[in-house]
Amino acid sequence: METNRQLEEIMSWRFITEFWRRFPKRFYLIEGHPGGGQYDCLVLMTKGKNPQFAIDVNRRGGSVHIHQNAFGLGDDITLHSDWLSRMLQSPVIFLDEIAQEVRLVPPKHLPTSTPTTIVFRFISDFLTHTIGRLERWECRNGYCDTSGDDGGERRDLFEQFPGLKERESLRKIESFCGEYAYNFWFLLKNDAPVLCLDTSGVTYCRDGSSYDLGQLYKCQRKIWPLIFEVARDILP
């Protein structure tokens, strides 16, 4: 059961990352918990005052949903309950089909990785290396978006990274609904945060140090040398 949960966590990030790589300027990525918190989703929301559609993957035994109206409130919803097997067997074909469903044209070549793309690729590849481990690894957003009563900024995660206190300017970066906490993602080991990544491309460590992923990526244009440089002390 735990292995299945790990696989869903990993493949949900793979789905989101590879779709983002195709359309790096079209979306915000948030972590959503609709239904009073009974679901655990990664959600791609189109940018703009009135989002055209949302794509979410419920990573706890659920489906990939496509909502044709903002915030998934409309009745026009399609789902793919076989998303996990499709991502394991034919990811390129599946991702192209999803793109066509939302009337996007799949690119012939992947666009150059933006700092945000590099962040998501970092998370996705890092989590791939955790499959089958005794420790529980996951990635959580800096903002808990839920219809329940426990939503809001996850201050307990932010407080673990002293380097963030010196970056007040991050609050001015474009973010979903104007809430800067959406821009941060935390890698957790057994519920404890060990690394913080913000979508501008900067990674923060618990000791107060930080790394510019965009600059590091320019050296070799590969993700794993970058992961080793930044996270060698916490690799599973």
Side-chain angles (χ1 to χ4, degrees), residues 77-199:
I77 301 174
T78 57
L79 62 86
H80 296 269
S81 58
D82 61 346
W83 74 273
L84 185 57
S85 63
R86 292 294 304 275
M87 284 299 298
L88 291 170
Q89 297 171 8
S90 55
V92 174
I93 295 175
F94 181 55
L95 290 163
D96 286 349
E97 289 178 0
I98 296 296
Q100 292 164 0
E101 283 188 37
V102 295
R103 300 179 182 179
L104 293 177
V105 179
K108 294 182 179 180
H109 304 284
L110 290 176
T112 300
S113 288
T114 66
T116 304
T117 302
I118 294 171
V119 166
F120 294 156
R121 290 176 64 190
F122 183 110
I123 295 169
S124 181
D125 279 24
F126 185 97
L127 290 175
T128 298
H129 197 57
T130 69
I131 188 69
R133 300 283 178 173
L134 295 178
E135 309 91 351
R136 185 177 69 259
W137 289 87
E138 59 184 338
C139 187
R140 291 293 171 184
N141 190 238
Y143 194 93
C144 182
D145 192 301
T146 177
S147 56
D149 297 327
D150 57 346
E153 179 183 333
R154 288 175 164 141
R155 296 182 181 179
D156 58 320
L157 298 182
F158 284 91
E159 291 172 354
Q160 303 300 313
F161 297 88
L164 289 174
K165 297 178 181 179
E166 303 172 3
R167 296 293 300 275
E168 289 298 316
S169 60
L170 291 173
R171 296 174 181 267
K172 301 178 182 179
I173 297 175
E174 179 188 12
S175 57
F176 181 65
C177 292
E179 173 54 65
Y180 87 106
Y182 280 112
N183 291 339
F184 293 83
W185 295 90
F186 296 86
L187 280 172
L188 276 63
K189 176 183 178 181
N190 294 332
D191 297 324
V194 295
L195 205 65
C196 171
L197 304 95
D198 83 63
T199 53

Side-chain angles (χ1 to χ4, degrees), residues 56-70:
D56 72 64
V57 51
N58 179 13
R59 48 190 177 171
R60 293 295 178 266
S63 304
V64 166
H65 295 80
I66 300 174
H67 307 271
Q68 293 298 336
N69 286 307

